[in-house]
Amino acid sequence: MMIHFCKSAVIMTQNRTVVDRIYGFFASMRLSLFLFGALAITSIFGTLIPQEITSEQRLRQFGPKLNALIELLDLGDMYHSWWFRLLLILLSANLIVCSMRRLPKTLKALRAGRKMMTPSRIEKMHLHGRVELPTSPQESKTLISNLLSSRFTKCVWQQQEGQYFAVAEKGRWGRLGVYFVHLSVLLVFAGALVGSLFGFRGFMTIPEKTSESHVHLRREGQVIPLDFEVRCDKFTVAFYDNGSPKEFRSDVSILVDGRVVKQAAIRVNDPFTFRGINFYQSTYGSQPTNIVLKLENVSNGKSQQLEVPFRQPITIPGSKDRLVIMDYADNIGNFGPAFYIGMARENQEPDSGWIVAKQPGFHGNRLDGLRINVLKYANSYYTGLEVKKDPGVWLIYLGFVLMLLSLIFALYQSHRRVWLALTPGQKGTAVHIAGNTNKHALAFEKDFQQLVHDIENMKPDSQRT
């Protein structure tokens, strides 16, 4: 990315006001370099350090000391940190002030370029020439006009006391290309700030046939409620022969006030968007349902069967004892699937432990004097959706499109101008011509010499064969 920096031209005087000093500070090229450098360096940290993971994950990855430093500097979520936003705001202000400082000079140069030049002034130009034509000034003007119209987009003539003056140009707006580049950068920064302030990124875990209306952010302890529900109607997964997942898909319904307003299928790399919030298929898993347990009192042999929901505490009928299935594992110690159950019996200390599901006679299937067997259960899938809202993304897209067009405009479009003065000469008409460009000087000089040559060799229509 090529960005035109304005030069710091701060003139220190004793009479400068506070506003002048602030203006000079933001117009400083040193500030531009410092801010760009700071953003580049911090972005490296943002790339190397995983963003928006939990503190436990970061602690395992980096250790306690480095994790403490990361949290102190807010490097684990730096794109939402106050100092990163401040860098963007300062750089935006710097870019605006620099543009405002240079724009009047650019507009003045554009306006000055349309003024006619006398022969004496043309001769003072670095790139100039003089040719004699055997035609009258009026006829020469007509011939040269035809030639210039094929090479320049605009040509203006003036007549004064039998003399003709002209200025022709093309690529006039190329001088403003750098300001459109600045504008595109500001749009990108604005989009990043809007996304940082008003956007979020989190996840939802939705078991089949259930709905969820809260997004859990990667940042710990933060939950964002939605004004609608996402229901997972069906989850399917296909596997390769080696057992790895080939494709997984979530068929979801959007419910507003309990009414289905939209349905969609979410696949990997095929997200779904509703009300500006994007849902990406991220992960999946399974969890048990329809769990039926048999509780047998070891001391008296009495037993009963209970249907227990997953992770929802219940009171055992006929008692004040409480039971909850806290977790599930597909395989515990090569004993097969197992449930982690917590038990709180009246007047006793709470107890918990793994209950093996497929081995009812396993000696460890006991809690607080109760033998527990899993009579039946079924597994159902849950889908893991990454949820992202970034209201500034369209500003960023617009900024990058404008940046691409502006760079092409600024890099390849040069402002070329030629000035002509047609005065009576010894043979008929003396043509004084000068030209300049704001870039690609060597190529322009070659074209200028060709233009002078073509003017010198022009013939009136009456002499053409």
Side-chain angles (χ1 to χ4, degrees):
M1 179 179 70
M2 178 179 179
I3 296 177
H4 182 85
F5 294 100
C6 76
K7 294 181 179 178
S8 175
V10 182
I11 302 174
M12 301 300 294
T13 64
Q14 293 182 347
N15 297 325
R16 293 181 65 190
T17 64
V18 175
V19 175
D20 293 333
R21 291 177 184 276
I22 294 175
Y23 186 82
F25 171 75
F26 280 108
S28 168
M29 183 177 176
R30 290 181 179 178
L31 179 64
S32 303
L33 294 175
F34 170 77
L35 292 173
F36 267 111
L39 281 174
I41 293 172
T42 54
S43 295
I44 293 174
F45 286 109
T47 303
L48 296 178
I49 300 173
Q51 300 290 294
E52 300 185 42
I53 61 175
T54 64
S55 180
E56 287 77 11
Q57 291 173 314
R58 208 165 37 243
L59 187 62
R60 288 195 295 270
Q61 187 169 352
F62 296 100
K65 292 183 178 179
L66 193 53
N67 180 56
L69 181 62
I70 290 173
E71 290 190 351
L72 177 66
L73 300 178
D74 212 0
L75 292 174
D77 189 16
M78 55 170 280
Y79 300 113
H80 292 91
S81 64
W82 66 267
W83 55 263
F84 190 80
R85 293 167 180 165
L86 180 62
L87 286 176
L88 292 180
I89 293 172
L90 288 175
L91 187 54
S92 299
N94 176 247
L95 208 53
I96 291 172
V97 172
C98 286
S99 300
M100 291 173 58
R101 195 182 184 117
R102 289 187 60 87
L103 184 59
K105 296 179 181 178
T106 303
L107 296 177
K108 184 179 179 181
L110 287 174
R111 287 192 294 268
R114 286 185 170 177
K115 292 182 179 178
M116 303 299 171
M117 287 191 183
T118 61
S120 60
R121 190 175 174 189
I122 285 177
E123 291 177 357
K124 293 179 181 178
M125 297 283 288
H126 171 69
L127 196 60
H128 70 275
R130 182 182 185 280
V131 297
E132 288 277 346
L133 295 179
T135 53
S136 67
Q138 174 64 41
E139 191 176 4
S140 299
K141 171 187 174 291
T142 303
L143 293 172
I144 293 174
S145 293
N146 295 333
L147 183 63
L148 293 179
S149 63
S150 64
R151 303 187 185 185
F152 295 88
T153 56
K154 189 176 183 63
C155 182
V156 179
W157 287 89
Q158 286 183 4
Q159 182 183 7
Q160 188 176 4
E161 298 176 354
Q163 298 179 348
Y164 293 91
F165 303 93
V167 57
E169 62 180 342
K170 73 174 183 179
R172 173 182 176 80
W173 300 109
R175 287 182 178 271
L176 298 178
V178 65
Y179 298 100
F180 286 103
V181 175
H182 288 186
L183 177 61
S184 68
V185 174
L186 290 174
L187 284 174
V188 172
F189 287 172
L193 282 173
V194 170
S196 176
L197 291 171
F198 304 107
F200 62 80
R201 182 180 178 184
F203 64 94
M204 300 176 83
T205 301
I206 314 174
E208 274 186 308
K209 310 299 182 186
T210 65
S211 59
E212 178 59 80
S213 61
H214 291 79
V215 179
H216 298 264
L217 303 189
R218 302 291 182 186
R219 286 165 280 177
E220 298 168 82
Q222 297 190 38
V223 177
I224 291 183
L226 303 177
D227 57 355
F228 57 87
E229 294 179 74
V230 183
R231 186 178 68 198
C232 178
D233 297 322
K234 184 180 180 182
F235 180 84
T236 54
V237 57
F239 296 93
Y240 289 105
D241 294 338
N242 61 7
S244 59
K246 180 180 181 182
E247 180 193 69
F248 40 105
R249 155 180 172 161
S250 301
D251 293 303
V252 300
S253 295
I254 302 298
L255 291 84
V256 177
D257 298 329
R259 183 171 55 88
V260 176
V261 296
K262 197 166 187 178
Q263 292 182 306
I266 306 175
R267 300 179 180 86
V268 177
N269 298 325
D270 186 13
F272 164 65
T273 302
F274 184 74
R275 292 184 178 175
I277 300 175
N278 298 311
F279 297 87
Y280 300 86
Q281 183 66 66
S282 175
T283 185
Y284 71 95
S286 64
Q287 68 177 33
T289 59
N290 302 321
I291 309 164
V292 178
L293 301 181
K294 178 183 178 182
L295 307 181
E296 180 182 358
N297 192 309
V298 177
S299 59
N300 57 27
K302 293 183 178 179
S303 64
Q304 58 180 320
Q305 295 183 11
L306 294 175
E307 182 169 351
V308 184
F310 188 57
R311 289 176 177 165
Q312 293 183 28
I314 63 165
T315 300
I316 299 175
S319 71
K320 295 182 179 180
D321 300 340
R322 301 276 290 171
L323 180 148
V324 60
I325 299 177
M326 303 167 67
D327 202 357
Y328 169 80
D330 290 326
N331 191 0
I332 287 290
N334 292 326
F335 288 103
F339 294 85
Y340 192 76
I341 296 177
M343 174 77 74
R345 306 197 68 181
E346 187 176 9
N347 300 324
Q348 294 186 31
E349 290 293 326
D351 195 6
S352 63
W354 287 100
I355 303 298
V356 179
K358 300 295 184 182
Q359 299 186 39
F362 185 65
H363 64 87
N365 285 359
R366 293 187 179 190
L367 284 176
D368 274 348
L370 290 178
R371 177 182 294 279
I372 301 177
N373 287 323
V374 180
L375 298 182
K376 69 175 185 178
Y377 70 96
N379 275 326
S380 67
Y381 283 111
Y382 67 82
T383 182
L385 302 178
E386 182 171 317
V387 187
K388 186 176 180 181
K389 180 182 180 182
D390 188 354
V393 68
W394 292 109
L395 284 174
I396 294 175
Y397 290 159
L398 179 62
F400 277 115
V401 171
L402 181 61
M403 184 182 296
L404 179 62
L405 297 176
S406 302
L407 285 174
I408 295 173
F409 200 56
L411 293 176
Y412 297 103
Q413 186 73 42
S414 58
H415 185 200
R416 296 182 167 197
R417 291 174 292 187
V418 294
W419 293 266
L420 296 100
L422 280 58
T423 61
Q426 295 178 349
K427 297 180 180 179
T429 302
V431 180
H432 308 266
I433 180 170
N436 76 2
T437 182
N438 65 329
K439 63 185 68 166
H440 308 147
L442 292 178
F444 176 73
E445 185 172 347
K446 183 179 178 181
D447 293 342
F448 179 80
Q449 298 298 343
Q450 183 64 45
L451 176 65
V452 173
H453 177 267
D454 293 343
I455 291 176
E456 188 174 16
N457 291 278
M458 284 191 311
K459 294 181 180 179
D461 294 340
S462 59
Q463 296 181 17
R464 294 181 182 175
T465 58

